[in-house]
mmCIF file with all atom_site columns, all heavy atoms in Angstrom:
data_model
loop_
_atom_site.group_PDB
_atom_site.id
_atom_site.type_symbol
_atom_site.label_atom_id
_atom_site.label_alt_id
_atom_site.label_comp_id
_atom_site.label_asym_id
_atom_site.label_entity_id
_atom_site.label_seq_id
_atom_site.pdbx_PDB_ins_code
_atom_site.Cartn_x
_atom_site.Cartn_y
_atom_site.Cartn_z
_atom_site.occupancy
_atom_site.B_iso_or_equiv
_atom_site.pdbx_formal_charge
_atom_site.auth_seq_id
_atom_site.auth_comp_id
_atom_site.auth_asym_id
_atom_site.auth_atom_id
_atom_site.pdbx_PDB_model_num
ATOM 1   N N   . GLY A 1 1  ? -150.579 -76.736 -92.305  1.00 92.00 ? 534 GLY A N   1
ATOM 2   C CA  . GLY A 1 1  ? -151.297 -76.660 -93.684  1.00 92.00 ? 534 GLY A CA  1
ATOM 3   C C   . GLY A 1 1  ? -150.848 -77.425 -94.722  1.00 92.00 ? 534 GLY A C   1
ATOM 4   O O   . GLY A 1 1  ? -151.259 -77.622 -95.794  1.00 92.00 ? 534 GLY A O   1
ATOM 5   N N   . LEU A 1 2  ? -149.509 -78.194 -94.399  1.00 92.00 ? 535 LEU A N   1
ATOM 6   C CA  . LEU A 1 2  ? -148.986 -78.951 -95.479  1.00 92.00 ? 535 LEU A CA  1
ATOM 7   C C   . LEU A 1 2  ? -149.958 -80.243 -95.756  1.00 92.00 ? 535 LEU A C   1
ATOM 8   O O   . LEU A 1 2  ? -149.970 -80.575 -96.962  1.00 92.00 ? 535 LEU A O   1
ATOM 9   C CB  . LEU A 1 2  ? -147.550 -79.412 -95.098  1.00 92.00 ? 535 LEU A CB  1
ATOM 10  C CG  . LEU A 1 2  ? -146.739 -80.125 -96.012  1.00 92.00 ? 535 LEU A CG  1
ATOM 11  C CD1 . LEU A 1 2  ? -146.543 -79.280 -97.325  1.00 92.00 ? 535 LEU A CD1 1
ATOM 12  C CD2 . LEU A 1 2  ? -145.445 -80.636 -95.521  1.00 92.00 ? 535 LEU A CD2 1
ATOM 13  N N   . SER A 1 3  ? -150.509 -80.725 -94.744  1.00 92.00 ? 536 SER A N   1
ATOM 14  C CA  . SER A 1 3  ? -151.452 -81.875 -94.872  1.00 92.00 ? 536 SER A CA  1
ATOM 15  C C   . SER A 1 3  ? -152.682 -81.368 -95.799  1.00 92.00 ? 536 SER A C   1
ATOM 16  O O   . SER A 1 3  ? -153.059 -82.183 -96.543  1.00 92.00 ? 536 SER A O   1
ATOM 17  C CB  . SER A 1 3  ? -151.829 -82.421 -93.624  1.00 92.00 ? 536 SER A CB  1
ATOM 18  O OG  . SER A 1 3  ? -152.580 -81.383 -92.864  1.00 92.00 ? 536 SER A OG  1
ATOM 19  N N   . ALA A 1 4  ? -153.137 -80.142 -95.684  1.00 94.00 ? 537 ALA A N   1
ATOM 20  C CA  . ALA A 1 4  ? -154.223 -79.731 -96.407  1.00 94.00 ? 537 ALA A CA  1
ATOM 21  C C   . ALA A 1 4  ? -153.706 -79.537 -97.939  1.00 94.00 ? 537 ALA A C   1
ATOM 22  O O   . ALA A 1 4  ? -154.512 -79.820 -98.866  1.00 94.00 ? 537 ALA A O   1
ATOM 23  C CB  . ALA A 1 4  ? -154.655 -78.395 -95.946  1.00 94.00 ? 537 ALA A CB  1
ATOM 24  N N   . ASN A 1 5  ? -152.418 -79.000 -98.057  1.00 94.00 ? 538 ASN A N   1
ATOM 25  C CA  . ASN A 1 5  ? -151.991 -79.063 -99.386  1.00 94.00 ? 538 ASN A CA  1
ATOM 26  C C   . ASN A 1 5  ? -151.927 -80.379 -100.157 1.00 94.00 ? 538 ASN A C   1
ATOM 27  O O   . ASN A 1 5  ? -152.269 -80.534 -101.345 1.00 94.00 ? 538 ASN A O   1
ATOM 28  C CB  . ASN A 1 5  ? -150.526 -78.413 -99.364  1.00 94.00 ? 538 ASN A CB  1
ATOM 29  C CG  . ASN A 1 5  ? -150.457 -76.948 -99.241  1.00 94.00 ? 538 ASN A CG  1
ATOM 30  O OD1 . ASN A 1 5  ? -151.581 -76.336 -99.262  1.00 94.00 ? 538 ASN A OD1 1
ATOM 31  N ND2 . ASN A 1 5  ? -149.439 -76.429 -99.039  1.00 94.00 ? 538 ASN A ND2 1
ATOM 32  N N   . LEU A 1 6  ? -151.574 -81.398 -99.367  1.00 94.00 ? 539 LEU A N   1
ATOM 33  C CA  . LEU A 1 6  ? -151.612 -82.718 -99.940  1.00 94.00 ? 539 LEU A CA  1
ATOM 34  C C   . LEU A 1 6  ? -152.924 -83.228 -100.231 1.00 94.00 ? 539 LEU A C   1
ATOM 35  O O   . LEU A 1 6  ? -153.046 -83.924 -101.285 1.00 94.00 ? 539 LEU A O   1
ATOM 36  C CB  . LEU A 1 6  ? -150.874 -83.693 -98.811  1.00 94.00 ? 539 LEU A CB  1
ATOM 37  C CG  . LEU A 1 6  ? -150.820 -85.147 -99.274  1.00 94.00 ? 539 LEU A CG  1
ATOM 38  C CD1 . LEU A 1 6  ? -149.840 -85.207 -100.543 1.00 94.00 ? 539 LEU A CD1 1
ATOM 39  C CD2 . LEU A 1 6  ? -150.067 -85.974 -98.090  1.00 94.00 ? 539 LEU A CD2 1
ATOM 40  N N   . GLU A 1 7  ? -153.963 -82.877 -99.448  1.00 93.00 ? 540 GLU A N   1
ATOM 41  C CA  . GLU A 1 7  ? -155.378 -83.426 -99.719  1.00 93.00 ? 540 GLU A CA  1
ATOM 42  C C   . GLU A 1 7  ? -155.703 -82.612 -101.081 1.00 93.00 ? 540 GLU A C   1
ATOM 43  O O   . GLU A 1 7  ? -156.362 -83.300 -101.872 1.00 93.00 ? 540 GLU A O   1
ATOM 44  C CB  . GLU A 1 7  ? -156.255 -82.950 -98.593  1.00 93.00 ? 540 GLU A CB  1
ATOM 45  C CG  . GLU A 1 7  ? -155.945 -83.754 -97.374  1.00 93.00 ? 540 GLU A CG  1
ATOM 46  C CD  . GLU A 1 7  ? -156.846 -83.450 -96.255  1.00 93.00 ? 540 GLU A CD  1
ATOM 47  O OE1 . GLU A 1 7  ? -157.696 -82.507 -96.308  1.00 93.00 ? 540 GLU A OE1 1
ATOM 48  O OE2 . GLU A 1 7  ? -156.626 -83.836 -95.131  1.00 93.00 ? 540 GLU A OE2 1
ATOM 49  N N   . ASN A 1 8  ? -155.451 -81.349 -101.253 1.00 93.00 ? 541 ASN A N   1
ATOM 50  C CA  . ASN A 1 8  ? -155.826 -80.588 -102.343 1.00 93.00 ? 541 ASN A CA  1
ATOM 51  C C   . ASN A 1 8  ? -155.193 -81.212 -103.714 1.00 93.00 ? 541 ASN A C   1
ATOM 52  O O   . ASN A 1 8  ? -155.811 -81.110 -104.735 1.00 93.00 ? 541 ASN A O   1
ATOM 53  C CB  . ASN A 1 8  ? -155.519 -79.202 -102.174 1.00 93.00 ? 541 ASN A CB  1
ATOM 54  C CG  . ASN A 1 8  ? -156.384 -78.435 -101.169 1.00 93.00 ? 541 ASN A CG  1
ATOM 55  O OD1 . ASN A 1 8  ? -157.490 -78.899 -100.846 1.00 93.00 ? 541 ASN A OD1 1
ATOM 56  N ND2 . ASN A 1 8  ? -155.815 -77.364 -100.600 1.00 93.00 ? 541 ASN A ND2 1
ATOM 57  N N   . LEU A 1 9  ? -153.949 -81.624 -103.416 1.00 92.00 ? 542 LEU A N   1
ATOM 58  C CA  . LEU A 1 9  ? -153.260 -82.323 -104.562 1.00 92.00 ? 542 LEU A CA  1
ATOM 59  C C   . LEU A 1 9  ? -153.857 -83.532 -105.055 1.00 92.00 ? 542 LEU A C   1
ATOM 60  O O   . LEU A 1 9  ? -153.720 -83.729 -106.337 1.00 92.00 ? 542 LEU A O   1
ATOM 61  C CB  . LEU A 1 9  ? -151.855 -82.624 -103.990 1.00 92.00 ? 542 LEU A CB  1
ATOM 62  C CG  . LEU A 1 9  ? -150.729 -83.243 -104.936 1.00 92.00 ? 542 LEU A CG  1
ATOM 63  C CD1 . LEU A 1 9  ? -150.462 -82.182 -106.089 1.00 92.00 ? 542 LEU A CD1 1
ATOM 64  C CD2 . LEU A 1 9  ? -149.601 -83.798 -104.338 1.00 92.00 ? 542 LEU A CD2 1
ATOM 65  N N   . LEU A 1 10 ? -154.660 -84.238 -104.171 1.00 90.00 ? 543 LEU A N   1
ATOM 66  C CA  . LEU A 1 10 ? -155.184 -85.410 -104.596 1.00 90.00 ? 543 LEU A CA  1
ATOM 67  C C   . LEU A 1 10 ? -156.622 -85.350 -105.229 1.00 90.00 ? 543 LEU A C   1
ATOM 68  O O   . LEU A 1 10 ? -157.150 -86.241 -105.623 1.00 90.00 ? 543 LEU A O   1
ATOM 69  C CB  . LEU A 1 10 ? -155.308 -86.377 -103.461 1.00 90.00 ? 543 LEU A CB  1
ATOM 70  C CG  . LEU A 1 10 ? -153.990 -86.813 -102.858 1.00 90.00 ? 543 LEU A CG  1
ATOM 71  C CD1 . LEU A 1 10 ? -154.108 -87.654 -101.607 1.00 90.00 ? 543 LEU A CD1 1
ATOM 72  C CD2 . LEU A 1 10 ? -152.944 -87.465 -103.769 1.00 90.00 ? 543 LEU A CD2 1
ATOM 73  N N   . LEU A 1 11 ? -157.078 -83.993 -105.267 1.00 92.00 ? 544 LEU A N   1
ATOM 74  C CA  . LEU A 1 11 ? -158.330 -83.751 -105.945 1.00 92.00 ? 544 LEU A CA  1
ATOM 75  C C   . LEU A 1 11 ? -158.325 -84.067 -107.483 1.00 92.00 ? 544 LEU A C   1
ATOM 76  O O   . LEU A 1 11 ? -157.319 -83.906 -108.115 1.00 92.00 ? 544 LEU A O   1
ATOM 77  C CB  . LEU A 1 11 ? -158.737 -82.359 -105.793 1.00 92.00 ? 544 LEU A CB  1
ATOM 78  C CG  . LEU A 1 11 ? -159.031 -81.815 -104.299 1.00 92.00 ? 544 LEU A CG  1
ATOM 79  C CD1 . LEU A 1 11 ? -159.282 -80.217 -104.328 1.00 92.00 ? 544 LEU A CD1 1
ATOM 80  C CD2 . LEU A 1 11 ? -160.285 -82.518 -103.604 1.00 92.00 ? 544 LEU A CD2 1
ATOM 81  N N   . LYS A 1 12 ? -159.423 -84.561 -107.933 1.00 93.00 ? 545 LYS A N   1
ATOM 82  C CA  . LYS A 1 12 ? -159.411 -85.051 -109.367 1.00 93.00 ? 545 LYS A CA  1
ATOM 83  C C   . LYS A 1 12 ? -159.146 -83.945 -110.268 1.00 93.00 ? 545 LYS A C   1
ATOM 84  O O   . LYS A 1 12 ? -158.270 -84.328 -111.212 1.00 93.00 ? 545 LYS A O   1
ATOM 85  C CB  . LYS A 1 12 ? -160.850 -85.530 -109.724 1.00 93.00 ? 545 LYS A CB  1
ATOM 86  C CG  . LYS A 1 12 ? -160.972 -86.190 -111.089 1.00 93.00 ? 545 LYS A CG  1
ATOM 87  C CD  . LYS A 1 12 ? -162.362 -86.701 -111.328 1.00 93.00 ? 545 LYS A CD  1
ATOM 88  C CE  . LYS A 1 12 ? -162.441 -87.226 -112.769 1.00 93.00 ? 545 LYS A CE  1
ATOM 89  N NZ  . LYS A 1 12 ? -163.923 -87.680 -113.120 1.00 93.00 ? 545 LYS A NZ  1
ATOM 90  N N   . ASP A 1 13 ? -159.666 -82.803 -110.213 1.00 93.00 ? 546 ASP A N   1
ATOM 91  C CA  . ASP A 1 13 ? -159.378 -81.805 -111.126 1.00 93.00 ? 546 ASP A CA  1
ATOM 92  C C   . ASP A 1 13 ? -157.822 -81.399 -111.110 1.00 93.00 ? 546 ASP A C   1
ATOM 93  O O   . ASP A 1 13 ? -157.233 -81.113 -112.039 1.00 93.00 ? 546 ASP A O   1
ATOM 94  C CB  . ASP A 1 13 ? -160.127 -80.449 -110.778 1.00 93.00 ? 546 ASP A CB  1
ATOM 95  C CG  . ASP A 1 13 ? -161.570 -80.617 -111.207 1.00 93.00 ? 546 ASP A CG  1
ATOM 96  O OD1 . ASP A 1 13 ? -161.960 -81.514 -111.887 1.00 93.00 ? 546 ASP A OD1 1
ATOM 97  O OD2 . ASP A 1 13 ? -162.383 -79.926 -110.739 1.00 93.00 ? 546 ASP A OD2 1
ATOM 98  N N   . THR A 1 14 ? -157.357 -81.332 -109.843 1.00 93.00 ? 547 THR A N   1
ATOM 99  C CA  . THR A 1 14 ? -155.888 -81.034 -109.708 1.00 93.00 ? 547 THR A CA  1
ATOM 100 C C   . THR A 1 14 ? -154.996 -82.164 -110.345 1.00 93.00 ? 547 THR A C   1
ATOM 101 O O   . THR A 1 14 ? -153.965 -81.670 -111.075 1.00 93.00 ? 547 THR A O   1
ATOM 102 C CB  . THR A 1 14 ? -155.513 -80.798 -108.217 1.00 93.00 ? 547 THR A CB  1
ATOM 103 O OG1 . THR A 1 14 ? -156.324 -79.856 -107.613 1.00 93.00 ? 547 THR A OG1 1
ATOM 104 C CG2 . THR A 1 14 ? -153.988 -80.490 -108.093 1.00 93.00 ? 547 THR A CG2 1
ATOM 105 N N   . LYS A 1 15 ? -155.199 -83.385 -110.143 1.00 93.00 ? 548 LYS A N   1
ATOM 106 C CA  . LYS A 1 15 ? -154.512 -84.389 -110.789 1.00 93.00 ? 548 LYS A CA  1
ATOM 107 C C   . LYS A 1 15 ? -154.588 -84.456 -112.301 1.00 93.00 ? 548 LYS A C   1
ATOM 108 O O   . LYS A 1 15 ? -153.724 -84.516 -112.843 1.00 93.00 ? 548 LYS A O   1
ATOM 109 C CB  . LYS A 1 15 ? -155.039 -85.736 -110.145 1.00 93.00 ? 548 LYS A CB  1
ATOM 110 C CG  . LYS A 1 15 ? -154.672 -85.992 -108.796 1.00 93.00 ? 548 LYS A CG  1
ATOM 111 C CD  . LYS A 1 15 ? -154.939 -87.480 -108.289 1.00 93.00 ? 548 LYS A CD  1
ATOM 112 C CE  . LYS A 1 15 ? -156.447 -87.784 -108.306 1.00 93.00 ? 548 LYS A CE  1
ATOM 113 N NZ  . LYS A 1 15 ? -156.671 -89.150 -107.800 1.00 93.00 ? 548 LYS A NZ  1
ATOM 114 N N   . ASN A 1 16 ? -155.766 -84.062 -112.792 1.00 95.00 ? 549 ASN A N   1
ATOM 115 C CA  . ASN A 1 16 ? -155.914 -83.880 -114.224 1.00 95.00 ? 549 ASN A CA  1
ATOM 116 C C   . ASN A 1 16 ? -155.169 -82.845 -114.825 1.00 95.00 ? 549 ASN A C   1
ATOM 117 O O   . ASN A 1 16 ? -154.548 -82.978 -115.838 1.00 95.00 ? 549 ASN A O   1
ATOM 118 C CB  . ASN A 1 16 ? -157.408 -83.816 -114.618 1.00 95.00 ? 549 ASN A CB  1
ATOM 119 C CG  . ASN A 1 16 ? -158.263 -85.084 -114.248 1.00 95.00 ? 549 ASN A CG  1
ATOM 120 O OD1 . ASN A 1 16 ? -157.762 -86.088 -114.260 1.00 95.00 ? 549 ASN A OD1 1
ATOM 121 N ND2 . ASN A 1 16 ? -159.580 -84.858 -114.163 1.00 95.00 ? 549 ASN A ND2 1
ATOM 122 N N   . GLU A 1 17 ? -155.117 -81.749 -114.208 1.00 95.00 ? 550 GLU A N   1
ATOM 123 C CA  . GLU A 1 17 ? -154.285 -80.588 -114.673 1.00 95.00 ? 550 GLU A CA  1
ATOM 124 C C   . GLU A 1 17 ? -152.818 -81.015 -114.620 1.00 95.00 ? 550 GLU A C   1
ATOM 125 O O   . GLU A 1 17 ? -151.992 -80.541 -115.475 1.00 95.00 ? 550 GLU A O   1
ATOM 126 C CB  . GLU A 1 17 ? -154.624 -79.257 -113.985 1.00 95.00 ? 550 GLU A CB  1
ATOM 127 C CG  . GLU A 1 17 ? -154.030 -78.168 -114.537 1.00 95.00 ? 550 GLU A CG  1
ATOM 128 C CD  . GLU A 1 17 ? -154.577 -76.786 -114.108 1.00 95.00 ? 550 GLU A CD  1
ATOM 129 O OE1 . GLU A 1 17 ? -155.511 -76.775 -113.274 1.00 95.00 ? 550 GLU A OE1 1
ATOM 130 O OE2 . GLU A 1 17 ? -154.258 -75.713 -114.580 1.00 95.00 ? 550 GLU A OE2 1
ATOM 131 N N   . ILE A 1 18 ? -152.262 -81.601 -113.528 1.00 95.00 ? 551 ILE A N   1
ATOM 132 C CA  . ILE A 1 18 ? -150.955 -81.951 -113.310 1.00 95.00 ? 551 ILE A CA  1
ATOM 133 C C   . ILE A 1 18 ? -150.560 -82.803 -114.550 1.00 95.00 ? 551 ILE A C   1
ATOM 134 O O   . ILE A 1 18 ? -149.480 -82.501 -115.208 1.00 95.00 ? 551 ILE A O   1
ATOM 135 C CB  . ILE A 1 18 ? -150.865 -82.669 -112.013 1.00 95.00 ? 551 ILE A CB  1
ATOM 136 C CG1 . ILE A 1 18 ? -150.845 -81.719 -110.993 1.00 95.00 ? 551 ILE A CG1 1
ATOM 137 C CG2 . ILE A 1 18 ? -149.397 -83.504 -112.024 1.00 95.00 ? 551 ILE A CG2 1
ATOM 138 C CD1 . ILE A 1 18 ? -150.806 -82.351 -109.448 1.00 95.00 ? 551 ILE A CD1 1
ATOM 139 N N   . LEU A 1 19 ? -151.387 -83.857 -114.912 1.00 94.00 ? 552 LEU A N   1
ATOM 140 C CA  . LEU A 1 19 ? -150.894 -84.723 -115.933 1.00 94.00 ? 552 LEU A CA  1
ATOM 141 C C   . LEU A 1 19 ? -151.060 -83.982 -117.384 1.00 94.00 ? 552 LEU A C   1
ATOM 142 O O   . LEU A 1 19 ? -150.205 -84.204 -118.224 1.00 94.00 ? 552 LEU A O   1
ATOM 143 C CB  . LEU A 1 19 ? -151.897 -85.962 -115.944 1.00 94.00 ? 552 LEU A CB  1
ATOM 144 C CG  . LEU A 1 19 ? -151.895 -86.860 -114.754 1.00 94.00 ? 552 LEU A CG  1
ATOM 145 C CD1 . LEU A 1 19 ? -152.916 -87.899 -114.801 1.00 94.00 ? 552 LEU A CD1 1
ATOM 146 C CD2 . LEU A 1 19 ? -150.478 -87.466 -114.678 1.00 94.00 ? 552 LEU A CD2 1
ATOM 147 N N   . TYR A 1 20 ? -152.000 -83.157 -117.391 1.00 94.00 ? 553 TYR A N   1
ATOM 148 C CA  . TYR A 1 20 ? -152.166 -82.457 -118.727 1.00 94.00 ? 553 TYR A CA  1
ATOM 149 C C   . TYR A 1 20 ? -150.968 -81.491 -118.967 1.00 94.00 ? 553 TYR A C   1
ATOM 150 O O   . TYR A 1 20 ? -150.397 -81.475 -120.068 1.00 94.00 ? 553 TYR A O   1
ATOM 151 C CB  . TYR A 1 20 ? -153.498 -81.502 -118.724 1.00 94.00 ? 553 TYR A CB  1
ATOM 152 C CG  . TYR A 1 20 ? -153.797 -80.761 -119.941 1.00 94.00 ? 553 TYR A CG  1
ATOM 153 C CD1 . TYR A 1 20 ? -153.993 -81.329 -121.189 1.00 94.00 ? 553 TYR A CD1 1
ATOM 154 C CD2 . TYR A 1 20 ? -153.665 -79.394 -119.906 1.00 94.00 ? 553 TYR A CD2 1
ATOM 155 C CE1 . TYR A 1 20 ? -154.371 -80.611 -122.328 1.00 94.00 ? 553 TYR A CE1 1
ATOM 156 C CE2 . TYR A 1 20 ? -153.861 -78.629 -121.011 1.00 94.00 ? 553 TYR A CE2 1
ATOM 157 C CZ  . TYR A 1 20 ? -154.206 -79.187 -122.287 1.00 94.00 ? 553 TYR A CZ  1
ATOM 158 O OH  . TYR A 1 20 ? -154.399 -78.574 -123.396 1.00 94.00 ? 553 TYR A OH  1
ATOM 159 N N   . VAL A 1 21 ? -150.604 -80.724 -118.054 1.00 94.00 ? 554 VAL A N   1
ATOM 160 C CA  . VAL A 1 21 ? -149.482 -79.793 -118.075 1.00 94.00 ? 554 VAL A CA  1
ATOM 161 C C   . VAL A 1 21 ? -148.245 -80.668 -118.331 1.00 94.00 ? 554 VAL A C   1
ATOM 162 O O   . VAL A 1 21 ? -147.273 -80.285 -119.176 1.00 94.00 ? 554 VAL A O   1
ATOM 163 C CB  . VAL A 1 21 ? -149.330 -78.970 -116.899 1.00 94.00 ? 554 VAL A CB  1
ATOM 164 C CG1 . VAL A 1 21 ? -147.969 -78.130 -116.892 1.00 94.00 ? 554 VAL A CG1 1
ATOM 165 C CG2 . VAL A 1 21 ? -150.501 -78.038 -116.851 1.00 94.00 ? 554 VAL A CG2 1
ATOM 166 N N   . PHE A 1 22 ? -147.986 -81.688 -117.680 1.00 93.00 ? 555 PHE A N   1
ATOM 167 C CA  . PHE A 1 22 ? -146.863 -82.596 -117.716 1.00 93.00 ? 555 PHE A CA  1
ATOM 168 C C   . PHE A 1 22 ? -146.682 -83.057 -119.211 1.00 93.00 ? 555 PHE A C   1
ATOM 169 O O   . PHE A 1 22 ? -145.713 -82.979 -119.827 1.00 93.00 ? 555 PHE A O   1
ATOM 170 C CB  . PHE A 1 22 ? -146.835 -83.663 -116.858 1.00 93.00 ? 555 PHE A CB  1
ATOM 171 C CG  . PHE A 1 22 ? -146.042 -84.975 -117.372 1.00 93.00 ? 555 PHE A CG  1
ATOM 172 C CD1 . PHE A 1 22 ? -144.663 -84.988 -117.464 1.00 93.00 ? 555 PHE A CD1 1
ATOM 173 C CD2 . PHE A 1 22 ? -146.715 -86.024 -117.829 1.00 93.00 ? 555 PHE A CD2 1
ATOM 174 C CE1 . PHE A 1 22 ? -144.036 -86.057 -117.984 1.00 93.00 ? 555 PHE A CE1 1
ATOM 175 C CE2 . PHE A 1 22 ? -146.021 -87.219 -118.409 1.00 93.00 ? 555 PHE A CE2 1
ATOM 176 C CZ  . PHE A 1 22 ? -144.664 -86.995 -118.311 1.00 93.00 ? 555 PHE A CZ  1
ATOM 177 N N   . ALA A 1 23 ? -147.868 -83.526 -119.749 1.00 91.00 ? 556 ALA A N   1
ATOM 178 C CA  . ALA A 1 23 ? -147.917 -84.214 -121.126 1.00 91.00 ? 556 ALA A CA  1
ATOM 179 C C   . ALA A 1 23 ? -147.560 -83.087 -122.250 1.00 91.00 ? 556 ALA A C   1
ATOM 180 O O   . ALA A 1 23 ? -146.705 -83.395 -123.041 1.00 91.00 ? 556 ALA A O   1
ATOM 181 C CB  . ALA A 1 23 ? -149.261 -84.710 -121.439 1.00 91.00 ? 556 ALA A CB  1
ATOM 182 N N   . LEU A 1 24 ? -148.118 -81.865 -122.032 1.00 90.00 ? 557 LEU A N   1
ATOM 183 C CA  . LEU A 1 24 ? -147.787 -80.911 -122.930 1.00 90.00 ? 557 LEU A CA  1
ATOM 184 C C   . LEU A 1 24 ? -146.282 -80.474 -122.998 1.00 90.00 ? 557 LEU A C   1
ATOM 185 O O   . LEU A 1 24 ? -145.630 -80.299 -124.096 1.00 90.00 ? 557 LEU A O   1
ATOM 186 C CB  . LEU A 1 24 ? -148.583 -79.660 -122.745 1.00 90.00 ? 557 LEU A CB  1
ATOM 187 C CG  . LEU A 1 24 ? -150.108 -79.705 -122.933 1.00 90.00 ? 557 LEU A CG  1
ATOM 188 C CD1 . LEU A 1 24 ? -150.620 -78.356 -122.631 1.00 90.00 ? 557 LEU A CD1 1
ATOM 189 C CD2 . LEU A 1 24 ? -150.386 -80.202 -124.307 1.00 90.00 ? 557 LEU A CD2 1
ATOM 190 N N   . ASN A 1 25 ? -145.710 -80.338 -121.721 1.00 90.00 ? 558 ASN A N   1
ATOM 191 C CA  . ASN A 1 25 ? -144.292 -79.908 -121.573 1.00 90.00 ? 558 ASN A CA  1
ATOM 192 C C   . ASN A 1 25 ? -143.238 -81.019 -122.046 1.00 90.00 ? 558 ASN A C   1
ATOM 193 O O   . ASN A 1 25 ? -142.349 -80.672 -122.730 1.00 90.00 ? 558 ASN A O   1
ATOM 194 C CB  . ASN A 1 25 ? -144.052 -79.465 -120.336 1.00 90.00 ? 558 ASN A CB  1
ATOM 195 C CG  . ASN A 1 25 ? -144.536 -78.012 -119.917 1.00 90.00 ? 558 ASN A CG  1
ATOM 196 O OD1 . ASN A 1 25 ? -143.759 -77.140 -120.214 1.00 90.00 ? 558 ASN A OD1 1
ATOM 197 N ND2 . ASN A 1 25 ? -145.722 -77.945 -119.359 1.00 90.00 ? 558 ASN A ND2 1
ATOM 198 N N   . ILE A 1 26 ? -143.648 -82.172 -121.770 1.00 86.00 ? 559 ILE A N   1
ATOM 199 C CA  . ILE A 1 26 ? -142.578 -83.302 -122.103 1.00 86.00 ? 559 ILE A CA  1
ATOM 200 C C   . ILE A 1 26 ? -142.689 -83.448 -123.655 1.00 86.00 ? 559 ILE A C   1
ATOM 201 O O   . ILE A 1 26 ? -141.578 -83.799 -124.140 1.00 86.00 ? 559 ILE A O   1
ATOM 202 C CB  . ILE A 1 26 ? -142.906 -84.710 -121.369 1.00 86.00 ? 559 ILE A CB  1
ATOM 203 C CG1 . ILE A 1 26 ? -141.682 -85.486 -121.434 1.00 86.00 ? 559 ILE A CG1 1
ATOM 204 C CG2 . ILE A 1 26 ? -144.202 -85.308 -121.903 1.00 86.00 ? 559 ILE A CG2 1
ATOM 205 C CD1 . ILE A 1 26 ? -140.584 -85.029 -120.594 1.00 86.00 ? 559 ILE A CD1 1
ATOM 206 N N   . ILE A 1 27 ? -143.767 -83.383 -124.200 1.00 83.00 ? 560 ILE A N   1
ATOM 207 C CA  . ILE A 1 27 ? -143.818 -83.559 -125.686 1.00 83.00 ? 560 ILE A CA  1
ATOM 208 C C   . ILE A 1 27 ? -143.058 -82.269 -126.379 1.00 83.00 ? 560 ILE A C   1
ATOM 209 O O   . ILE A 1 27 ? -142.263 -82.477 -127.411 1.00 83.00 ? 560 ILE A O   1
ATOM 210 C CB  . ILE A 1 27 ? -145.204 -83.605 -126.338 1.00 83.00 ? 560 ILE A CB  1
ATOM 211 C CG1 . ILE A 1 27 ? -145.941 -84.987 -125.693 1.00 83.00 ? 560 ILE A CG1 1
ATOM 212 C CG2 . ILE A 1 27 ? -145.255 -83.628 -127.749 1.00 83.00 ? 560 ILE A CG2 1
ATOM 213 C CD1 . ILE A 1 27 ? -147.330 -85.031 -125.963 1.00 83.00 ? 560 ILE A CD1 1
#
């Protein structure tokens, strides 16, 4: 199931939320 996790990681909504949460926290 690790490969499925990687595929889900690359979904557009997931990537957008990753970047959004990162930006809020680093600032």
Side-chain angles (χ1 to χ4, degrees):
L535 189 58
S536 58
N538 283 351
L539 183 58
E540 291 177 4
N541 292 332
L542 180 68
L543 300 177
L544 294 176
K545 182 179 179 180
D546 289 344
T547 303
K548 289 190 293 185
N549 289 341
E550 187 162 7
I551 285 173
L552 293 175
Y553 180 69
V554 172
F555 153 72
L557 294 182
N558 278 277
I559 196 69
I560 295 174

